[in-house]
Amino acid sequence: MAKLLNPIFFSCLYTSFIFTLSNLNSRSIFVNAKTLPSDIQALQAIKMSIDPVSISSESFLRSWDFALDPCETTGASFLGILCTIPLDNNSTSRIMEIDLEGDELEGFLTPAIGNLTELVALNLGKNKFRGPVPETITNLRKLTSLQLYENFFSGKIPQLNGLWQLSSFDLSNNQIYGNLPQFPLKIKTLSLGHNLLSGHISPVNKLRRLRILDLSDNRFSGAINKEVFMLPDISHANASVNRFTVLEVVEFTDKATQLHTLDVHGNRLRGHLPVNLVTYPNLTEINLGHNLFSGQIPSEYWPRLGFAWRSLDLEYNYLEGPVPRELNRTLEGVRGSFAHNCLTCPKGLQLCHGGQRPASECVRRKGGGDHN
């Protein structure tokens, strides 16, 4: 009986020794670490929240070896991580950037992400994260870039106005719903396209430094406010494929306006086309197609075509009246379409290629019916 006990005893003793040694090694990393221990723990939590099957051999996450110090290693370990440099030997390093873009990782974003309080940039784009974006993300007060696009994040956006340094936020191509929150006033790029967001877009009106706005393919309704187009630095505004019914464009007399591209196609915008678009001197690309606009194309549009305006898309509306014959000579290189309206087009005009609506549709529309 004693002979049988000895191997079992020594096997248990060996297992206990290995477990103890592993713990001692782990503790020694924290004791002697150049990286703040709570940052190391946050990185461990991030890796543990990922399905290990989804961590491919090419994934940066595969290189995260916690037998090493994240901020002390060089070369092939802890890829996708950047650290701060301590000012003296008594200071610890902190994690300042995480980039795991395109790794096809499946899992959840752990609330422990909020402990990385020196984080400046976080890029988890093009993965398969699911569930909500944890509210602890608002602890990252030094964050300037937050890239979470092309995942399966769901739920509502947390109030982000506390992230007062944030300048670039991309949450596009997810499953986020609800209304827009208040955003940090320093934000320059706001990309929320291809989600399930709804309500009005008034929180955008306060973002005086905004340059690029993408709200496409959501469920926003009401008006596209005139304040959006009056933001001093706005250059690209995309509010296409939503449920907007009103487009407010006021005359702009400030020559400093930067608006270059306007895309509001695929909404329920009605009434006449906005004449005041011609007062935006830097505007070159306009898409007003697939709406319910009616009446004639403003005569003020024609001098802009082929000169300032290089692209004008008005297709699938209920616009009527003649298109000037002389456009055949001035529209070389102009992109866009006037097709599927109720227009009278000169023969051979490329912008009218595809034809107009049947007369019966145009008559019914004048009678008050919407058939778009």
Side-chain angles (χ1 to χ4, degrees), residues 92-140:
T92 53
S93 296
R94 301 292 308 275
I95 307 300
M96 64 179 296
E97 290 190 23
I98 298 177
D99 186 353
L100 296 175
E101 181 189 35
D103 274 4
E104 296 290 317
L105 302 172
E106 298 185 30
F108 300 89
L109 182 56
T110 172
I113 192 71
N115 295 330
L116 300 174
T117 53
E118 290 293 314
L119 207 60
V120 173
L122 175 62
N123 188 350
L124 302 177
K126 295 184 178 180
N127 282 289
K128 298 178 182 179
F129 285 95
R130 57 189 185 275
V133 178
E135 292 186 8
T136 56
I137 206 105
T138 58
N139 297 340
L140 308 180

Side-chain angles (χ1 to χ4, degrees), residues 28 47 51 59-60 71 80 84 108 110 135 161 196 216 239 248 254 325 331 337 347 353:
S28 67
K47 188 169 184 178
D51 183 351
S59 172
F60 281 2
C71 292
T84 61
F108 300 89
T110 172
E135 292 186 8
N161 51 337
L196 304 171
S216 62
E248 298 178 354
D254 185 355
R325 188 173 302 277
L331 294 188
S337 175
K347 186 176 181 180
H353 182 73

Side-chain angles (χ1 to χ4, degrees), residues 171-204:
L171 192 56
S172 59
N173 291 276
N174 280 283
Q175 299 169 3
I176 303 297
Y177 60 85
N179 297 335
L180 290 182
Q182 297 299 315
F183 293 103
L185 297 181
K186 288 187 177 181
I187 206 159
K188 295 179 181 179
T189 301
L190 181 60
S191 300
L192 301 173
H194 306 282
N195 278 289
L196 304 171
L197 294 162
S198 58
H200 298 275
I201 61 171
S202 53
V204 173

Side-chain angles (χ1 to χ4, degrees), residues 4 48 74 112 151 182 196 204 244 255 265 291 311-312:
L4 292 175
M48 289 177 63
T74 58
N151 279 283
Q182 297 299 315
L196 304 171
V204 173
F244 293 111
K255 298 300 181 184
H265 84 270
N291 279 291
S311 178
L312 178 62

Side-chain angles (χ1 to χ4, degrees), residues 155-175:
K156 297 183 178 181
I157 303 177
Q159 290 293 335
L160 298 175
N161 51 337
L163 303 181
W164 61 279
Q165 297 273 35
L166 194 65
S167 65
S168 178
F169 181 40
D170 193 339
L171 192 56
S172 59
N173 291 276
N174 280 283
Q175 299 169 3

Side-chain angles (χ1 to χ4, degrees), residues 215-327:
L215 302 175
S216 62
D217 193 14
N218 278 285
R219 299 174 180 178
F220 293 114
S221 58
I224 303 175
N225 314 101
K226 59 182 181 293
E227 289 83 2
V228 172
F229 306 120
M230 298 177 71
L231 294 172
D233 294 332
I234 192 81
S235 63
H236 292 71
N238 188 346
S240 62
V241 194
N242 277 284
R243 301 173 182 177
F244 293 111
T245 54
V246 177
L247 176 63
E248 298 178 354
V249 182
V250 297
E251 183 178 1
F252 205 99
T253 56
D254 185 355
K255 298 300 181 184
T257 174
Q258 300 299 313
L259 188 63
H260 176 276
T261 302
L262 172 64
D263 188 349
V264 293
H265 84 270
N267 280 285
R268 301 170 183 176
L269 301 172
R270 60 187 68 236
H272 290 184
L273 294 174
V275 178
N276 286 323
L277 283 178
V278 301
T279 66
Y280 291 73
N282 292 310
L283 196 58
T284 63
E285 299 185 21
I286 304 164
N287 193 339
L288 306 175
H290 293 265
N291 279 291
L292 301 172
F293 287 114
S294 58
Q296 296 195 3
I297 299 174
S299 60
E300 291 87 347
Y301 280 20
W302 306 130
R304 310 294 291 178
L305 275 174
F307 297 96
W309 291 0
R310 305 306 302 169
S311 178
L312 178 62
D313 200 323
L314 303 175
E315 67 179 2
Y316 285 100
N317 279 286
Y318 289 90
L319 302 170
E320 59 187 41
V323 176
R325 188 173 302 277
E326 58 269 21
L327 289 182

